[in-house]
Amino acid sequence: MLIRSRVPLRISFGGGGTDVSPYCEEYGGVVMNATIDRYATVSLFPFSDKTIEIESIDYDAALKYDVDQFLAYDGHLDLIKGVVNYMRKTYDVHHGFKLRIHNDAPPGSGLGSSSAVCVAVVGAFRHWLNLPMTPYEVAELAYYIERKELGIKGGKQDQYAAAFGGFNFIEFNSTKTIVNPLRLRNDVVCELNHRLVLAYVGGSHDSSKILGSQIKNMASGNEETLTSLHKAKEHAIAMKAALLTDNLDDFGLLLGEAWESKKHFTAGITTPKIDVIYEKAKSAGALGGKISGAGGGGFMFFFTKPDKRYAVTKALQEEGIQIVNYSFTEIGLHTWEVRCP
């Protein structure tokens, strides 16, 4: 018997950056995001012997350890090692196993892929060890391992989006996180899916570096950064209202406003290439758009006028940009068992 664990990746519409410490503790953060049918998938194979194997399909990498050996952090698959070390220490795991990991998007894509992997691995262990963990507890543990144990800079939205799935308005403060699922009409979701063009602009970003700079700006009291983060929070709140009241054009315009605010968080969020791409999409009929994630590269999305999807798509393709077909999904972390022959 093997265990399969799958979580969706996410598009971050608004508020990203306000979920990063110390902003969320001092002012309270909010994000508006949605998950799509791109996934991080983990397969866990229990062994009868005393070895641990970790295999990454995407990196073409395979590691092997003794079951009682501490998995040292050396920049190779450290997220997976962090979960393994935590689970073995906390739940006294002495069984051998193999983990095989695959992700539909690379790190630095802006779709929360790294945190999604962490959540998927936690989910696989939860199933295998029969742990009574809620989606909140899964997300919080993944956050702890990634941000505290490993010291990787970033916020909280990715872990919660992966664990819960769907359209969510998520609130963060110093004591708790609250996930508010949005019950949107199916017509709204379908129209949003049609008019929102997802595009891979190339060049992965170093989210840890960009967010580290943002955190430094916050700590030093940089007024431009703080004002922009306040605006980002306002935009996320307004986006939620626009979707719940079926005002999709307002939602598209808010994406553009959110992008203008985001560019002032810190240096490196946009590039000359990204600015050109954005203006091309706007000229072709996009109401607004932004980077999904910390910035610098990866995926962008553009919300088009009702009859301009194909014009925007064509304009982006003429710039050598890859258009990615997708659908929204409501299912978050999901695990199941597969009987091997």
Side-chain angles (χ1 to χ4, degrees):
M1 189 75 72
L2 70 89
I3 296 162
R4 204 92 73 191
S5 176
R6 188 177 80 169
V7 302
L9 307 185
R10 62 97 186 101
I11 295 174
S12 178
F13 293 128
T18 70
D19 60 319
V20 178
S21 181
Y23 184 90
C24 57
E25 288 89 357
E26 294 185 23
Y27 302 98
V30 298
V31 299
M32 173 74 228
N33 60 34
T35 51
I36 61 174
D37 58 349
R38 295 292 184 274
Y39 300 96
T41 304
V42 171
S43 301
L44 189 156
F45 305 80
F47 284 163
S48 57
D49 62 11
K50 297 295 184 178
T51 61
I52 293 174
E53 296 181 22
I54 302 174
E55 179 185 4
S56 170
I57 303 299
D58 310 293
Y59 288 108
D60 192 25
L63 307 174
K64 190 171 183 177
Y65 302 90
D66 180 82
V67 72
D68 294 320
Q69 180 181 353
F70 178 81
L71 279 57
Y73 305 130
D74 56 6
H76 298 288
L77 307 181
D78 283 353
L79 272 178
I80 294 90
K81 293 176 187 176
V83 179
V84 171
N85 284 335
Y86 179 91
M87 290 295 178
R88 289 189 309 163
K89 177 181 177 181
T90 305
Y91 299 105
D92 198 27
V93 177
H94 295 288
H95 301 286
F97 57 87
K98 177 177 181 177
L99 290 170
R100 179 179 292 149
I101 298 98
H102 171 64
N103 205 318
D104 288 341
S109 64
L111 300 181
S113 57
S114 297
S115 297
V117 167
C118 195
V119 171
V121 178
V122 171
F125 276 99
R126 180 186 70 168
H127 189 110
W128 184 33
L129 303 177
N130 196 27
L131 304 176
M133 298 173 67
T134 67
Y136 276 100
E137 291 169 327
V138 169
E140 201 60 35
L141 176 55
Y143 173 81
Y144 168 80
I145 292 170
E146 188 172 359
R147 308 297 182 215
K148 306 298 183 181
E149 187 73 16
L150 296 173
I152 300 171
K153 298 289 192 299
K156 282 191 173 183
Q157 71 159 315
D158 296 352
Q159 296 86 357
Y160 280 88
F164 281 84
F167 285 82
N168 291 302
F169 180 80
I170 311 177
E171 303 171 77
F172 307 92
N173 60 44
S174 59
T175 59
K176 61 184 176 180
T177 298
I178 302 172
V179 178
N180 303 281
L182 301 190
R183 305 303 181 190
L184 304 180
R185 292 193 308 111
N186 191 53
D187 289 356
V188 173
V189 175
C190 289
E191 184 64 11
L192 184 63
N193 192 182
H194 179 78
R195 292 173 62 181
L196 196 74
V197 177
L198 183 62
Y200 184 66
V201 300
S204 65
H205 65 242
D206 186 344
S207 60
S208 185
K209 181 178 180 180
I210 292 172
L211 290 170
S213 177
Q214 176 186 313
I215 293 167
K216 184 178 179 180
N217 287 350
M218 271 287 302
S220 65
N222 184 292
E223 186 175 343
E224 182 180 15
T225 296
L226 188 58
T227 298
S228 299
L229 286 165
H230 289 338
K231 288 181 179 179
K233 187 162 62 173
E234 294 172 3
H235 292 138
I237 295 169
M239 286 177 188
K240 178 187 73 169
L243 288 180
L244 290 175
T245 56
D246 300 0
N247 290 314
L248 291 184
D249 283 357
D250 288 350
F251 177 81
L253 293 170
L254 284 165
L255 286 177
E257 294 178 20
W259 175 233
E260 291 303 318
S261 294
K262 184 180 180 69
K263 289 189 289 186
H264 293 280
F265 288 0
T266 191
I269 288 176
T270 191
T271 67
K273 177 183 176 182
I274 289 172
D275 290 339
V276 168
I277 292 168
Y278 186 81
E279 290 306 318
K280 289 281 186 180
K282 287 272 288 184
S283 296
L287 289 172
K290 62 188 290 288
I291 283 276
S292 181
F299 280 89
M300 293 189 76
F301 51 85
F302 304 91
F303 192 80
T304 69
K305 296 174 183 177
D307 60 342
K308 295 296 184 180
R309 173 186 172 84
Y310 302 107
V312 171
T313 297
K314 182 179 179 181
L316 292 171
Q317 289 174 330
E318 288 174 350
E319 292 296 314
I321 304 304
Q322 178 186 355
I323 306 301
V324 178
N325 293 322
Y326 72 97
S327 294
F328 294 111
T329 180
E330 292 293 323
I331 300 173
L333 169 63
H334 181 61
T335 58
W336 65 96
E337 296 179 359
V338 180
R339 188 173 298 278
C340 298

